[in-house]
Amino acid sequence: MQKLIEKYYRSTNLPHIWCPGCGHGVVTMSIVKAIDKLQLDHDKTVIVSGIGCSSRASGYLNFDTVHSAHGRALPVATGIKLSDPELNVIVITGDGDATAIGGNHFIHAARRNINLTMILFNNNIYGMTGGQYSPLTPVNSRASTAPFGTMERNFDITELAKGAGATFVARSTAFHTQLLTDVIAKGIEHKGFSLVEAITQCPTSFGRQNKMGRASDMLKAQRDHAVTVEAAARLTPEQKAGKFLIGVLHQEEAPEYTEQYDAIIAKAQKGGK
Ligand SMILES: Cc1ncc(C[n+]2csc(CCOP(=O)(O)OP(=O)(O)O)c2C)c(N)n1
């Protein structure tokens, strides 16, 4: 662990800003472990984030990084990837950042199948700004903007990604860190748009409002409600009620955007033939 911190973190930017018990540090370390597992070239790996507690992660990582604007990590990452398709471009975002202000960018990046790996830190809430509900806040939850409970149904972001055309979709949690590292590595290896939903606990802004106990209780809830894709295949619908799937949820091959773009440039250079 110490070696990974020395190799991949910007010690000058530490300590981090995250609250005690927050899962964002665990998710960040899973990204680092995936990068290390794949031995990605430091000089060919770029990390782009939006704005939020989760998006602070880019500042702690010692790569070429962009801490962009709220909801705009994907357009910035798209520009970087188009300028040099050889780069590994990893996007770090939160549930509010990615699915509210950034929701339109999200569906179009998925539709284009551009070869980016997006890690969505889903803590079910706008953490940084004090617990407002996001499109991923489970319906009937309390939030500072919904003191009597949210009435809007939440997205299942993995289903939305699939429907929008993402060719790799996976989910894990801050409790299931080995699986999280594994699916992030698979997402980076996949050629096309990859979404990894990383479920992470926010004891301060979400857990406290919803009486979910301490951070350790929230981690236990992740443990108790998650079922691997493989285990789910053996369960009855009654046994699966109230559970969510973790692992690789969807993978397919489809034309990748930067390759298609190069082909269009070549065609234009030949006069459109
Ligand atoms: C254009 C714009 N609108 C609003 C904000 C305020 N803002 C900063 S972070 C944030 C919420 C981030 O929530 P989320 O993406 O869920 O990440 P978390 O903090 O929970 O990790 C908001 C609304 C902003 N910085 N820029």
Side-chain angles (χ1 to χ4, degrees):
M1 188 78 83
Q2 193 56 38
K3 281 204 177 110
L4 290 177
I5 291 173
E6 282 164 19
K7 187 167 176 194
Y8 294 108
Y9 285 68
R10 286 186 182 123
S11 54
T12 46
N13 286 6
L14 296 173
H16 58 70
I17 57 147
W18 297 316
C19 303
C22 170
H24 286 359
V26 170
V27 179
T28 304
M29 182 49 97
S30 293
I31 297 172
V32 163
K33 284 184 177 166
I35 289 171
D36 193 63
K37 185 174 166 182
L38 299 175
Q39 288 293 298
L40 295 188
D41 183 345
H42 233 105
D43 293 330
K44 292 225 162 272
T45 303
V46 179
I47 299 179
V48 184
S49 65
I51 299 290
C53 296
S54 37
S55 289
R56 281 293 182 110
S58 64
Y60 303 135
L61 298 174
N62 198 8
F63 293 86
D64 287 322
T65 60
V66 185
H67 188 190
S68 71
H70 195 29
R72 307 295 186 247
L74 282 170
V76 173
T78 297
I80 292 168
K81 185 72 182 175
L82 276 171
S83 74
D84 184 356
E86 295 294 304
L87 296 173
N88 308 299
V89 183
I90 297 171
V91 175
I92 292 179
T93 179
D95 48 298
D97 192 66
T99 68
I101 194 168
N104 219 13
H105 296 301
F106 172 66
I107 55 174
H108 293 291
R111 176 174 69 89
R112 293 183 184 126
N113 195 34
I114 185 158
N115 191 6
L116 305 172
T117 309
M118 172 171 170
I119 321 295
L120 194 160
F121 290 46
N122 181 9
N123 60 4
N124 301 121
I125 203 83
Y126 283 71
M128 180 167 268
T129 44
Q132 298 84 359
Y133 67 88
S134 86
L136 300 194
T137 303
V139 65
N140 297 324
S141 304
R142 282 177 192 265
S144 57
T145 43
F148 305 105
T150 51
M151 59 184 200
E152 294 177 21
R153 293 176 301 159
N154 52 292
F155 286 134
D156 176 333
I157 195 63
T158 62
E159 290 295 330
L160 182 63
K162 232 192 298 177
T167 50
F168 181 93
V169 180
R171 184 192 284 126
S172 190
T173 78
F175 180 85
H176 304 85
T177 55
Q178 277 183 4
L179 180 67
L180 185 56
T181 299
D182 191 40
V183 292
I184 292 170
K186 286 188 172 134
I188 294 170
E189 283 181 312
H190 175 79
K191 193 164 81 177
F193 185 80
S194 308
L195 168 78
V196 177
E197 179 185 7
I199 293 178
T200 158
Q201 70 283 358
C202 175
T204 304
S205 291
F206 188 68
R208 204 164 44 175
Q209 294 195 85
N210 287 284
K211 304 204 174 3
M212 296 172 82
R214 298 156 67 94
S216 53
D217 297 313
M218 296 180 81
L219 277 164
K220 283 182 199 150
Q222 292 170 16
R223 177 194 67 191
D224 296 342
H225 291 97
V227 183
T228 62
V229 173
E230 296 75 23
R234 298 187 295 272
L235 298 181
T236 62
E238 293 74 34
Q239 289 170 319
K240 280 192 274 191
K243 310 272 188 197
F244 60 84
L245 292 180
I246 52 172
V248 177
L249 307 181
H250 175 71
Q251 188 161 15
E252 64 174 303
E253 298 300 321
E256 193 276 326
Y257 193 72
T258 60
E259 288 185 357
Q260 287 183 297
Y261 206 81
D262 282 346
I264 288 284
I265 291 170
K267 195 173 172 182
Q269 283 167 342
K270 280 197 227 144
K273 290 180 197 130

